[in-house]
Amino acid sequence: MKRVLTGIKPTGYAHIGNYFGMIKPAIEMSHNKDYECFYFIADYHALTTLKNREEMKEYFFNIACTWLACGLDPEKVVFYRQSDIKEDFELNWILCNVTPKGLMNRAHAYKAIVEKNEELGVDKDDGVNMGLYNYPILMAADILLFDSDYVPVGLDQKQHIEIARDIAHNFNVKYGKCLKEPMEKIDDDNKTLIGLDGRKMSKSYNNTIPLFSTEEALKKAIFRVVTDSRLPGEAKDKDCTVNKLFKLFSTKEEAQKFEKDLLNGLGWGEAKKQLFEVANRYLSPMREKFNYFMAHKDEVEKILKEGAIKAQLVAEKVLKRVRIAIGTED
Ligand code: TRP
C-alpha cells in the first residue's frame, strides 16, 4: 500500500479550476484500494498570505467544508489540520539544518519576488519574511513526517516536492537511511482549466467560476464567459470556452449533442443557458452538502480532531526515528 499525502492552503474560496484540477482527482485517488491518503489543511503555510484572525478562521473553515462537500470521506482519508500536528514543526527545525541556504534561494516563489524587487530597484529581500523564505522546508516536513510515497499536486508545486526529496536525501546521507524520498504526482489531464476569458482559470486573473455560490451568482459567472461575436445561426468554434466548460459537467452524449448544436449555429445566449443548467445540476448536491457543513461547525471540527489523532500516530513514529538518528532520543 502506498501513502499519498497532499496539503491544501486555505487562502481563498475554491473555484471550479481547483475542483477539477486538484480536489476531484485527489478524492478519486482516495477510492483506490492501493492508496492510503492523508489530506490536510496547511493553515500555517497560509500565514504567509493571511494577516488577520478573522481571515484565517474564515478561510480555514470554508476550505474544510469544501473538501467534505466534494466527497472527502473521513473514513477513507486521514483529514487533519496542519497546526494540530506539533511534530511537524519539530521536524521543520531539524530539516532546516540539512537544507543549504542556496536551495531556498533557488525556490521559484522567493526568486520571483527577488526578481521583481530588482526590477523596482529596491532591496532584493524587500517584503520577504522568514516564513516565506522557509516555506519549502515546512512543506518538506509536512511530507517527510508521514513517509509519503506520492504527493499529488499541480505543476506549480513540482519544485517544492523536488526540494522535499533533496532534503530527505541530504538527511539520509548525513544520518543513514531514515526518511522516505517522495515523488510528485501530476495529473496531466487536468493541468489547466480554462477560465471565463479563455485564459487559465486563476484567482489572479479574476476569471473564475466559484464552486459554491448561489445559483444566481453561478448564472452571472457563466454569462460572463467571453465569446466571439458570431450570431445565432453561424457555426461556432468547437474549441470555445463555453464548449470546454460544458464537457466538465455533462454526460458524453450531452457533450456530443451540444457540440453539434454549436457547429450548427446555436446562439451564445442559449448555449450559456444550457451550460448553466448542466453546471447547476452538477453543483447543486455539492452546494447543499457545503451549506450543511457550514452550518455544523462542531461536526467538521470533530472530523478534523479525529483525523489529527490518526495522523499523530504516524507522525510520532517517524519523528522518533528522526530523533534517534540525530541523537536527541535513545
Ligand atoms: N504549497 C501547497 C500549495 O500552495 C500547499 C502545501 C503545503 C502542500 N504543504 C504541502 C502540498 C505538502 C503538498 C504537500 O498549494
Side-chain angles (χ1 to χ4, degrees), residues 5-7 9 40 42 45 135 139 142-143 151 153 157:
L5 173 141
T6 197
K9 199 164 58 165
F40 67 96
H45 275 113
Y135 187 107
M139 193 159 152
D142 296 336
I143 297 167
V151 187
V153 284
Q157 296 294 313

Side-chain angles (χ1 to χ4, degrees), residues 222-241:
I222 284 174
F223 276 82
R224 273 178 59 213
V225 174
V226 176
T227 56
D228 58 26
S229 54
R230 283 178 236 188
L231 297 171
E234 289 182 70
K236 308 297 184 292
D237 183 351
K238 73 176 174 40
D239 289 326
C240 66
T241 310

Side-chain angles (χ1 to χ4, degrees), residues 56-103:
M56 174 61 88
K57 284 164 69 114
E58 160 110 11
Y59 287 134
F60 169 77
F61 185 58
N62 186 287
I63 213 77
C65 293
T66 297
W67 277 80
L68 292 167
C70 292
L72 183 148
D73 176 357
E75 298 292 318
K76 290 208 170 84
V77 178
V78 179
F79 186 46
Y80 58 97
R81 177 178 196 157
Q82 179 189 36
S83 60
D84 280 342
I85 314 296
K86 308 295 181 226
E87 290 80 358
D88 198 14
F89 310 102
E90 185 171 340
L91 183 61
N92 171 65
W93 177 253
I94 297 170
L95 296 179
C96 281
N97 297 278
V98 294
T99 307
K101 182 165 176 282
L103 187 61

